[in-house]
Amino acid sequence: MTPDAVWPGLGDTRLPARDVSGVVPGIEWRRVLVLAVVLPLFGQSFHYMKDAAPLWALSKVFPLLSLPLAFLLFRGARPEASRQILISFVWLTLVPTFIAISTFQQTFFVGLAAQVKLLPILYFFSFLGLLRWMQPPLREIAIAFLIWGAVTYVILLLTWGAAPQSWYKDKYVLGESPLLSHDSRGNRIRMPMYFGLIGIFYAYRRFFATRRWLWLVVAAIGFGLVVGLVRTRSTVLGIAAVAAITAFTAASARTRLLLVALLPLAFIALFSVPYVASVFSTDSNSGFDVRWISTVKAVDFLGLSPFRWLFGVGTISPIDPAGLMTYFNHFFFLADITWVGVVFEFGLLGAALILAIPARAFVLVRRARDLADDPFLGALQDYVVYAVLISELYPLTMAPGEFGVILAIAVYVLERRRRPQRC
């Protein structure tokens, strides 16, 4: 029985056959177009791309520009998980701001500027409001995501082929991430990979659902482009870990024995790539020394105070040109020390609230998959797992809007299931 038979109006992401005109029936392409236009902003694709200044600025203010969509939620029942998201946002925004007043001698409103990075959490409300208003079936949401997944790799290839070597920056301000850079790993294209990775996970899930090798080839090509052009260790290791987990959960008992036998070979092949193996490096080229000094100084600053460990010490506003260097006499970036940085800023309680957001997203996507085990929902679940797995290398606070969007989709799917449908 297909998901449509159980759940009229939901659909799945496997497209039906085209009619004689070449048009896929059951797809409202105007809705797909609207979703495709706004998704890069909801997915924070331009949030750290200072090279594209207008899009970067738009991405920074878009959480506020899109917030009126949240008022559409008042027309229906209170969304599941809304209380958790609202309490978490208020706590993570206000508590560290008040604490930073005494820690770093800031005014309240100046300190509040340090929490701008948390505004995309509100995408849960605005994107869910958009979905409730437009009422797209899951298939259309998936198409919009996959369009941007394909566009990501097209742009990646075009950039690699067209950009001259002079565009790759080998010197840049510490703490910034230019789109094109050159370091010990070679030429790197720091392409935002939210949609690209979901595309890889989708193709991988389709392979296990259909056993068609073409989907595995598509996933392998995407992974190869990430390894060869993006060259981000956390991304490569995260994809490999999720692929292994998915393979074990989807395989039969006999196949799992084969996977166990092949795992050492896959491990050796992965770490034969020099820059991937450098994740264990402690030399200066890896930046380990800077991160280690930052970690030691952060832990020393927290000291033995239970209050500081529980609630954090806040952080200095980005408006301050010297930043935390004023206090540590050292290049000090909380994102570089990941979970220690999160505890430093928000405390153990704040860290638990941050981790609870992707955890809730995982639970709700898993529940939605119980209703319709769709490859796209599986890909969203895989991305949540991926983000948590690499959070020791790339903190969850960098792009909270990604989880807000996934959580909104899961809640929307569950709401459509509860709503009476006409057969």
Side-chain angles (χ1 to χ4, degrees):
M1 183 176 293
T2 66
D4 278 328
V6 178
W7 189 348
L10 170 65
D12 64 9
T13 59
R14 288 162 289 191
L15 294 179
R18 297 173 183 268
D19 61 23
V20 292
S21 66
V23 176
V24 177
I27 301 296
E28 178 55 67
W29 290 104
R30 285 176 295 183
R31 283 193 303 234
V32 174
L33 177 61
V34 171
L35 288 171
V37 168
V38 299
L39 269 178
L41 292 169
F42 279 113
Q44 295 189 252
S45 296
F46 311 111
H47 216 64
Y48 298 102
M49 291 183 62
K50 291 187 177 181
D51 295 325
L55 292 174
W56 171 78
L58 177 60
S59 182
K60 292 294 185 182
V61 299
F62 194 69
L64 298 178
L65 294 178
S66 62
L67 194 55
L69 289 168
F71 290 110
L72 296 171
L73 300 179
F74 289 106
R75 296 193 304 180
R78 179 175 62 84
E80 190 169 356
S82 59
R83 184 179 302 162
Q84 173 189 339
I85 299 301
L86 186 59
I87 291 174
S88 298
F89 177 76
V90 171
W91 178 283
L92 295 170
T93 303
L94 296 183
V95 172
T97 301
F98 279 114
I99 292 175
I101 292 174
S102 60
T103 307
F104 300 115
Q105 292 75 54
Q106 296 179 144
T107 65
F108 174 78
F109 290 104
V110 170
L112 196 62
Q115 311 307 339
V116 171
K117 62 182 177 290
L118 298 176
L119 285 176
I121 292 176
L122 298 175
Y123 285 155
F124 167 73
F125 299 104
S126 53
F127 193 67
L128 181 57
L130 179 66
L131 293 179
R132 279 192 180 183
W133 176 47
M134 294 178 60
Q135 291 292 305
L138 182 62
R139 182 185 296 124
E140 293 177 2
I141 302 173
I143 291 173
F145 265 79
L146 296 175
I147 286 173
W148 277 110
V151 168
T152 297
Y153 292 107
V154 170
I155 295 176
L156 189 62
L157 283 169
L158 290 176
T159 303
W160 171 72
Q165 187 61 39
S166 60
W167 289 9
Y168 290 87
K169 299 179 181 179
D170 54 5
K171 294 181 181 179
Y172 46 90
V173 178
L174 199 62
E176 291 190 356
S177 300
L179 177 63
L180 302 176
S181 65
H182 179 86
D183 54 27
S184 59
R185 307 178 210 181
N187 289 344
R188 299 178 60 196
I189 304 175
R190 300 171 186 263
M191 185 70 65
M193 294 303 298
Y194 178 55
F195 299 104
L197 296 188
I198 289 176
I200 290 177
F201 298 146
Y202 174 82
Y204 196 59
R205 288 276 182 178
R206 284 298 299 267
F207 165 69
F208 283 103
T210 64
R211 302 298 176 180
R212 294 179 181 174
W213 288 95
L214 176 61
W215 289 110
L216 186 59
V217 171
V218 171
I221 291 173
F223 181 64
L225 292 175
V226 171
V227 172
L229 303 182
V230 179
R231 293 175 173 262
T232 300
R233 289 182 296 246
S234 60
T235 303
V236 172
L237 293 172
I239 295 173
V242 170
I245 293 171
T246 301
F248 271 93
T249 55
S252 63
R254 182 177 299 177
T255 306
R256 287 174 186 169
L257 292 176
L258 177 62
L259 291 172
V260 169
L262 294 176
L263 193 60
L265 297 177
F267 183 86
I268 292 171
L270 183 63
F271 283 92
S272 65
V273 180
Y275 77 82
V276 176
S278 68
V279 72
F280 301 113
S281 175
T282 58
D283 61 26
S284 58
N285 287 331
S286 69
F288 176 81
D289 53 345
V290 176
R291 290 194 295 271
W292 176 251
I293 294 172
S294 298
T295 300
V296 171
K297 290 192 173 187
V299 172
D300 286 344
F301 194 81
L302 291 171
L304 300 177
S305 168
F307 181 89
R308 287 191 169 190
W309 280 96
L310 281 174
F311 299 99
V313 297
T315 190
I316 216 163
S317 172
I319 297 174
D320 187 325
L324 289 168
M325 282 187 64
T326 305
Y327 293 84
F328 296 100
N329 192 29
H330 166 74
F331 285 112
F332 194 95
F333 300 99
L334 295 177
D336 288 344
I337 54 177
T338 57
W339 280 112
V340 176
V342 171
V343 173
F344 179 92
E345 185 174 359
F346 301 103
L348 292 170
L349 292 177
L353 290 175
I354 291 168
L355 185 59
I357 294 175
R360 188 67 178 272
F362 178 88
V363 170
L364 293 184
V365 173
R366 179 65 258 182
R367 281 174 50 193
R369 290 187 63 209
D370 288 339
L371 301 173
D373 191 7
D374 186 272
F376 176 64
L377 291 177
L380 296 183
Q381 178 182 301
D382 289 342
Y383 188 85
V384 173
V385 174
Y386 156 85
V388 173
L389 287 176
I390 70 166
S391 61
E392 184 50 40
L393 298 170
Y394 188 86
L396 297 176
T397 52
M398 293 293 287
E402 297 175 351
F403 307 118
V405 168
I406 292 174
L407 189 55
I409 293 173
V411 170
Y412 172 72
V413 168
L414 291 171
E415 286 178 348
R416 284 179 67 91
R417 173 62 180 88
R418 298 190 191 102
R419 191 180 307 130
Q421 303 280 350
R422 292 183 178 181
C423 297

